[in-house]
């Protein structure tokens, strides 16, 4: 799902845009669908019926970069890529209204379309658009203090923002005047700050933005909510002021409908690179900031567990008194609403029983109190069910309306496991923490034989495997494997204490947690075959996979790892998140850190390479040649160690791919080779 917009004329319309992998083209195609919702004539907050959508519209010829809908006239702004040029198109219901060739105008470099910096914001008058682009490289403007010297000499090294943000170095805020067709680059942003996530302030004479500090040097930004940043207000005359505190991490500014309050997420700098965040509210009149939702250290059973992910662009009720969002809660992803007056958090998904059990809920948008939600589970893909419902009044529940019934639901069996930490493995600093896992089994297990089990471990390490659709898990289950997706201590959704418990304990606590989860699953389900176990994972999941086959060499019969961390000591000088290399082993990081023998020894001690000589299981390695987070030389290090000992190992090299191995052809290649590897060795 790319995005969803609600438009209101006589009846609300839900317009959804989707991305789907096309193995024939070897690329992703875009298609759109639209539903018209008929509300009750006496109660406009009650949906009477939903008109079915027509055929999906597919547009694979022009690559869309960004898209945004104006709130009043319903104009659609689209930035497209075609023939090496970026075009800004403005569409109305009659067709194309205006088109600007941004590349030919030569006011800036490429437009940012990523989730970290990118934005496309309409002004109140709907005559201006706001976006972020790379500063033009051939400028002859005199160099200011702090400006990168690469603007003067192309041979001088130019920093970027790391994995998946390569070639993004110096972002600038751009405003296009749709009446004159002119583009201006806003001045006044502090020279040690890289701006992004911009939106118009009330009256459209200034903008709010997030600024990431890039001195003394840039660190990787993707999947990192711990980078020093601040909230700024910049007017069109170049006057800039900081609105948030210092030495904090902020993101996702969202303006209330009446323009009185700015909401944003806030976290700590350094430490875990993903964390439980607080939701802040800034009164723009008094300039007072208060906490709407604080960090949750240890959630109570069944209660809200904290905010762990970005807010959707539209997440506020019409009166601005309620904020709606999705967030991890243990082994699920749920939908929540917080009331500003009472600060009470309510789950909006707990009371929905009309459809089969959905593991996870994702909020797409809220407009005029109408929510659009995407649901999925391990046996139901997310593209098949969309729900809409109005925000409830106090004491009421949401009446959900299904836009489309699922046309394909796989009959996998799935269940959520709560796992208790054995007393001998309890963390004395964060005692009493438990964790969980999601077990997915094929519908037709082998006759007179037990089902082989694949242990699937997420990366991060501070991320989550929620009970939602996962293509890899579904594919393996369809082919006869049971899959156990483990959320070890340190995963999101279990509170900040769980995240902090892993600091200094990687390679031991997380490894033992996965092993405990596997033994728990085997004890609770006798249909699983304890003699046919495999382990797979990527990044930190690959790190744990290689640890497990090294620390428990008689337990697992096969391993498949994507871009795994193998030797944290040798990774220190090549990763875009060098701070995590220190933090993960319990050493506080600072920019001027110089490696010591003690620090390198601690990193080596916690690395899978120390157990390489004990590995007996055949190992499949899949590496991205352009990985900036975990250098592919990490996997090569294990490959050589295993080859020298005549241990079964196979290495797949994808020269054009990065850390996520996300190209369509790469994903297909990795899945097919993983399945063949498992069939061969289990």
């Amino acid at each position: 799902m790319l995005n969803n917009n609600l438009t209101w004329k006589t009846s609300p319309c839900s317009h959804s845009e989707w991305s789907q992998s096309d193995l024939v083209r070897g690329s992703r195609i875009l298609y759109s669908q639209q539903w018209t919702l008929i509300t009750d004539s006496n109660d406009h907050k009650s949906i009477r019926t939903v008109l079915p959508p027509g055929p999906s519209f597919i547009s694979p010829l022009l690559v869309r970069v960004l898209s945004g809908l104006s709130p009043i006239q319903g104009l659609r702004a689209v930035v497209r890529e075609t023939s090496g040029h970026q075009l800004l198109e403005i569409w109305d219901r009659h067709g194309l209204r205006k088109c600007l060739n941004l590349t030919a105008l030569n006011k800036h470099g490429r437009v940012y379309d990523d989730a970290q910096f990118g934005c496309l914001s309409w002004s109140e008058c709907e005559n201006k658009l706001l976006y972020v682009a790379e500063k033009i490289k051939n400028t002859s403007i005199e160099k200011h203090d702090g400006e990168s010297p690469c603007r003067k000499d192309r041979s001088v090294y130019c920093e970027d923002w790391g994995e998946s943000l390569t070639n993004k170095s110096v972002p600038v805020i751009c405003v296009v005047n749709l009446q004159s067709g002119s583009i201006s680059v806003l001045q006044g942003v502090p020279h040690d700050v890289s701006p992004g996530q911009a939106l118009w302030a009330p009256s459209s004479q200034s903008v709010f933005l997030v600024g990431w500090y890039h001195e003394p040097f840039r660190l990787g930004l993707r999947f990192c909510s711990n980078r020093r940043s601040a909230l700024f207000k910049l007017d069109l005359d170049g006057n800039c002021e900081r609105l948030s505190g210092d030495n904090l991490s902020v993101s996702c500014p969202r303006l209330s409908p009446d323009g009185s309050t700015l909401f944003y997420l806030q976290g700590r700098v350094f430490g875990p690179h993903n964390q439980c965040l607080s939701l802040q509210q800034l009164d723009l009149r008094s300039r007072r900031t208060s906490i709407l939702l604080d960090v949750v250290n240890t959630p109570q059973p069944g209660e809200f567990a904290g905010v762990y992910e970005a807010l959707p662009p539209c997440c506020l009720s019409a009166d601005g008194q309620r904020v709606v969002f999705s967030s991890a809660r243990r082994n699920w992803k749920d939908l929540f609403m917080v009331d500003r007056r009472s600060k009470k958090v309510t789950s909006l998904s707990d009371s929905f029983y009309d459809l089969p059990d959905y593991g996870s809920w994702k909020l797409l948008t809220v407009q005029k109190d109408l929510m659009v939600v995407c649901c999925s589970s391990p046996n139901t893909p997310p593209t098949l069910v969309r729900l809409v419902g109005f925000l409830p009044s106090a004491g009421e529940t949401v009446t959900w309306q299904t836009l489309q019934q699922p046309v394909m639901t796989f009959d996998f069996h799935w269940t959520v496991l709560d796992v208790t930490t054995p007393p001998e493995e309890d963390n004395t600093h964060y005692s009493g923490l438990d964790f969980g896992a999601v077990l997915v089994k094929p519908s037709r297990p082998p006759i007179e034989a037990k089902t082989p089990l694949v242990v699937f471990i997420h990366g991060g390490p501070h991320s989550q495997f929620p009970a939602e659709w996962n293509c890899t898990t579904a594919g393996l289950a369809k082919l006869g494997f049971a899959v156990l997706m483990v959320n070890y201590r340190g995963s999101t959704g279990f509170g900040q204490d769980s995240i902090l418990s892993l600091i200094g304990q990687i390679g031991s606590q997380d490894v033992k947690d996965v092993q405990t989860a596997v033994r728990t699953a085997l004890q609770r389900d006798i249909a699983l075959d304890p003699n046919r176990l495999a382990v797979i994972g990527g990044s930190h999941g690959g790190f744990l996979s290689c640890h497990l086959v090294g620390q428990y060499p008689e337990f697992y019969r096969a391993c498949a790892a994507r871009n795994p961390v193998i030797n944290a000591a040798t990774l220190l000088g090549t990763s875009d998140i060098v701070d995590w290399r220190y933090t993960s082993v319990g050493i506080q990081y600072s920019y001027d850190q110089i490696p010591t023998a003690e620090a390198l020894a601690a990193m080596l001690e916690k690395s899978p390479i120390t157990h390489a000589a004990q590995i007996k299981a055949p190992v499949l390695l899949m590496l991205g040649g352009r990985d900036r987070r975990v250098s592919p030389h990490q996997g090569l290090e294990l490959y050589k160690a295993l080859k020298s000992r005549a241990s079964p190992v196979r290495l797949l090299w994808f020269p054009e791919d990065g850390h996520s191995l996300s190209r369509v052809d790469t994903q297909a290649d990795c899945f097919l080779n993983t399945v063949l590897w498992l069939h061969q060795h289990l």
Side-chain angles (χ1 to χ4, degrees):
M1 179 72 177
L2 290 177
N3 59 59
N4 190 100
N5 295 112
L6 280 170
T7 58
W8 297 72
K9 297 297 182 182
T10 56
S11 297
C13 293
S14 175
H15 178 87
S16 300
E17 295 181 345
W18 303 83
S19 172
Q20 182 175 342
S21 296
D22 186 335
L23 297 180
V24 176
R25 290 185 178 94
S27 62
R28 290 178 178 83
I29 59 174
L30 304 179
Y31 67 95
S32 61
Q33 293 177 310
Q34 180 171 299
W35 289 263
T36 300
L37 314 178
I38 307 300
T39 56
D40 193 299
S41 58
N42 297 319
D43 178 12
H44 291 290
K45 287 199 172 185
S46 176
I47 300 171
R48 183 158 49 89
T49 188
V50 177
L51 299 183
S56 301
F57 174 71
I58 300 176
S59 178
L61 300 179
L62 299 176
V63 178
R64 196 207 66 179
V65 176
L66 286 173
S67 177
L69 196 67
S70 71
I72 301 174
Q73 301 180 64
L75 303 175
R76 180 170 294 278
V78 178
V79 178
R80 294 190 191 275
E81 185 90 28
T82 176
S83 302
H85 285 243
Q86 289 189 317
L87 307 178
L88 172 62
E89 301 171 349
I90 307 299
W91 294 78
D92 60 21
R93 56 183 176 177
H94 302 295
L96 182 63
R97 173 185 286 196
K98 196 175 190 70
C99 182
L100 296 175
N101 189 327
L102 301 179
T103 305
L105 289 171
N106 201 31
K107 293 292 186 179
H108 53 71
R110 298 184 63 78
V111 176
Y112 283 27
D113 62 337
D114 57 87
Q116 285 70 43
F117 293 99
C119 60
L120 191 59
S121 177
W122 285 89
S123 64
E124 286 183 359
C125 63
E126 301 193 349
N127 289 327
K128 295 178 181 179
L129 275 170
L130 186 68
Y131 58 91
V132 176
E134 180 70 10
K135 186 174 182 179
I136 195 166
K137 296 184 184 299
N138 62 351
T139 180
S140 59
I141 298 174
E142 183 178 355
K143 176 180 176 291
H144 297 284
D145 292 341
E147 184 181 337
S148 174
C150 66
R151 303 296 167 211
K152 289 286 185 180
D153 187 342
R154 64 180 182 180
S155 299
V156 174
Y157 174 68
C158 189
E159 297 175 13
D160 60 33
W161 286 96
E163 175 63 31
S164 81
L165 297 173
T166 302
N167 298 324
K168 294 180 179 178
S169 177
V170 186
V172 290
I173 305 294
C174 304
V175 175
V176 56
N177 187 314
L178 297 176
Q179 292 181 321
S180 65
S182 62
I183 297 175
S184 58
V185 175
L186 299 188
Q187 304 299 313
V189 176
H191 296 301
D192 61 343
V193 165
S194 291
Q197 298 186 15
L199 69 158
W200 290 101
S203 77
S204 302
Q205 296 303 306
S206 58
V207 301
F208 299 119
L209 60 93
V210 174
W212 287 268
Y213 293 93
H214 54 240
E215 294 295 339
F217 54 83
R218 292 163 176 79
L219 290 166
L221 189 56
R222 193 180 187 205
F223 302 130
C224 297
S225 63
N226 65 341
R227 298 291 175 243
R228 183 177 173 232
S229 50
L231 196 62
F232 293 90
K233 183 179 181 180
L234 174 69
D235 67 30
L236 302 186
D237 294 325
N239 301 306
C240 189
E241 62 173 318
R242 178 164 55 86
L243 301 177
S244 61
D246 193 17
N247 201 32
L248 296 168
S249 173
V250 305
S251 62
C252 302
R254 304 290 185 258
L255 188 64
S256 63
D258 64 0
S260 67
T261 309
L262 194 65
F263 302 86
Y264 61 95
L265 299 178
Q266 180 176 289
R268 302 176 183 177
V269 176
F270 295 145
H273 57 84
N274 198 15
Q275 56 188 310
C276 186
L277 303 168
S278 65
L279 177 59
Q280 305 283 327
Q281 51 184 356
L282 168 63
D283 187 310
L284 295 174
R285 296 186 181 94
S286 67
R287 296 300 176 94
R288 293 184 58 186
T289 301
S290 59
I291 299 174
L292 181 55
L293 284 176
D294 208 346
V295 170
V296 177
N297 292 316
T298 305
Q300 297 301 311
E303 296 296 320
F304 173 64
V307 181
Y308 299 93
E309 56 190 73
L311 300 174
C314 298
C315 59
L316 286 146
S317 61
D319 61 4
Q321 294 300 315
R322 291 168 291 177
V323 184
V324 189
F325 58 95
S326 304
S327 190
R329 179 168 65 167
R330 296 188 64 82
N331 302 291
W332 318 81
K333 186 175 291 183
D334 286 340
L335 181 65
F336 297 99
M337 176 183 71
V338 58
D339 191 301
R340 294 177 59 195
R341 292 155 293 201
S342 64
K343 295 190 177 181
K344 179 183 178 181
V345 181
T346 304
S347 171
L348 300 179
S349 49
D350 282 349
S351 60
F352 185 60
Y353 303 108
D354 294 337
L355 288 178
D357 290 339
Y358 286 105
S360 294
W361 294 55
K362 179 181 179 181
L363 177 68
L364 303 179
T365 190
V366 181
Q367 293 181 36
K368 296 185 179 180
D369 288 349
L370 181 61
M371 299 175 288
V372 182
V373 176
C374 181
C375 301
S376 76
S377 67
N379 61 356
T380 304
T383 55
L384 301 178
V385 176
R386 274 81 61 181
L387 301 174
V388 293
F390 284 99
L391 283 170
S393 301
E396 296 181 354
T397 58
V398 184
T399 300
W400 292 104
Q401 177 75 42
T402 305
L403 291 182
Q404 182 178 355
Q405 293 286 353
V407 295
M408 181 184 297
T409 298
F410 297 90
D411 54 351
F412 306 145
H413 302 291
W414 65 275
T415 186
V416 169
L417 304 179
D418 293 318
V419 184
T420 302
T421 305
E424 65 274 14
E425 294 171 12
D426 191 36
N427 188 311
T428 56
H429 297 289
Y430 300 95
S431 183
L433 300 176
D434 66 347
F435 57 100
V438 180
L439 177 63
V440 183
K441 296 170 57 180
S443 55
R444 296 181 179 85
I447 300 175
E448 298 181 357
K450 293 188 174 184
T451 306
L453 177 63
V454 177
V455 182
F456 194 3
I457 313 173
H458 67 70
H462 309 302
S463 61
Q464 178 207 31
F465 264 150
E468 66 181 9
W469 178 259
N470 183 293
C471 290
T472 298
T473 298
L476 291 172
K478 190 68 176 176
L479 294 170
F481 298 95
V483 182
L484 183 69
M485 300 185 290
V486 183
N487 291 314
Y488 45 88
R489 281 175 291 173
S491 303
T492 56
F494 293 81
Q496 182 72 353
D497 283 354
S498 180
I499 289 174
L500 294 175
S501 75
L502 190 54
I503 303 301
Q505 302 296 323
I506 64 164
S508 55
Q509 176 179 292
D510 44 5
V511 173
K512 293 174 182 176
D513 281 357
V514 175
Q515 191 67 6
T516 298
V518 175
R519 295 187 187 278
T520 299
L522 293 174
Q523 291 170 359
R524 295 184 186 178
D525 194 331
I526 60 173
L528 301 176
D529 192 341
N531 297 314
R532 288 193 294 165
L533 300 172
V535 59
I536 65 174
S539 192
H540 193 82
F543 167 89
L544 294 178
S545 297
C546 295
H547 256 301
L548 286 160
V549 293
Q551 293 191 37
Y552 304 94
E554 306 296 335
F555 198 79
Y556 297 96
R557 291 180 55 178
C559 170
R562 294 175 289 106
N563 288 325
V565 175
I566 298 300
N567 184 340
T570 57
L571 182 58
L572 181 62
T574 60
S575 175
D576 68 331
I577 53 170
V578 60
D579 58 309
W580 174 243
R581 307 275 69 87
Y582 285 98
T583 301
S584 64
V585 297
I587 300 173
Q588 187 172 355
Y589 174 76
S590 63
Y591 279 104
D592 59 355
Q593 202 102 357
I594 301 296
T596 64
E598 292 78 14
L600 293 173
M603 295 174 192
L604 178 61
E605 179 189 7
K606 296 178 181 299
S607 299
I609 194 67
T610 60
H611 304 283
Q614 286 76 51
I615 294 177
K616 296 181 179 180
V619 176
L620 172 65
L621 296 166
M622 294 158 279
L623 309 179
R626 295 188 176 183
D627 191 345
R628 297 283 301 281
R629 186 134 303 177
V630 178
S631 167
H633 292 281
Q634 288 286 296
L636 284 169
E637 195 170 335
L638 179 63
Y639 173 78
K640 293 173 182 177
L642 296 177
K643 286 278 286 186
S644 67
R645 290 165 174 78
S647 296
V649 61
R650 187 170 187 238
L651 190 149
L652 303 179
W653 183 272
F654 302 97
E656 301 301 317
D657 228 315
H659 188 60
S660 61
L661 297 177
S662 58
R663 289 167 57 104
V664 173
D665 54 346
T666 301
Q667 289 182 330
D669 199 341
C670 288
F671 178 77
L672 290 173
N673 275 280
T674 298
V675 169
L676 292 172
W677 194 254
L678 296 176
H679 272 296
Q680 180 181 351
H681 298 291
L682 287 186

